Amino acid sequence: MADSGAEKSNLIKEVINIIIGGALVGLFSLFLLPTKAIEYWWLVWIVSSTSVLVWKLIRKRVNLSQKK
């Protein structure tokens, strides 16, 4: 039962990392994008958060395949 609590805690940490990582990537990418992109900051944040999530999933899959 305690293991379930640890998994939930790790999941919450991962979600927070994805949200913050996506916000940071989105913030820095706004400097490179045209000024029109500032109106669509939420779209930039969603795309960057999704890319952070995909990157973490791919990295986790590669790490699991290397352990085998």
Side-chain angles (χ1 to χ4, degrees), residues 4 12 16 22 29 38 41 45 53 55 57 61-62 67:
S4 176
I12 291 171
I16 290 172
S29 67
I38 293 174
W41 63 267
W45 175 74
L53 174 64
W55 175 68
L57 290 175
R61 180 173 288 176
V62 168
K67 287 182 180 180

Side-chain angles (χ1 to χ4, degrees), residues 8 10 22-23 30-31 35 39 42 54 58 60 64:
K8 187 179 277 189
N10 287 339
L30 283 176
F31 291 115
T35 55
E39 293 179 23
W42 53 271
V54 169
I58 289 172
K60 186 179 283 189
L64 288 176

Side-chain angles (χ1 to χ4, degrees), residues 1-24:
M1 192 62 104
D3 192 31
S4 176
E7 288 180 21
K8 187 179 277 189
S9 176
N10 287 339
L11 178 65
I12 291 171
K13 287 179 185 177
E14 287 293 323
V15 169
I16 290 172
N17 284 336
I18 290 168
I19 291 171
I20 292 173
L24 290 174

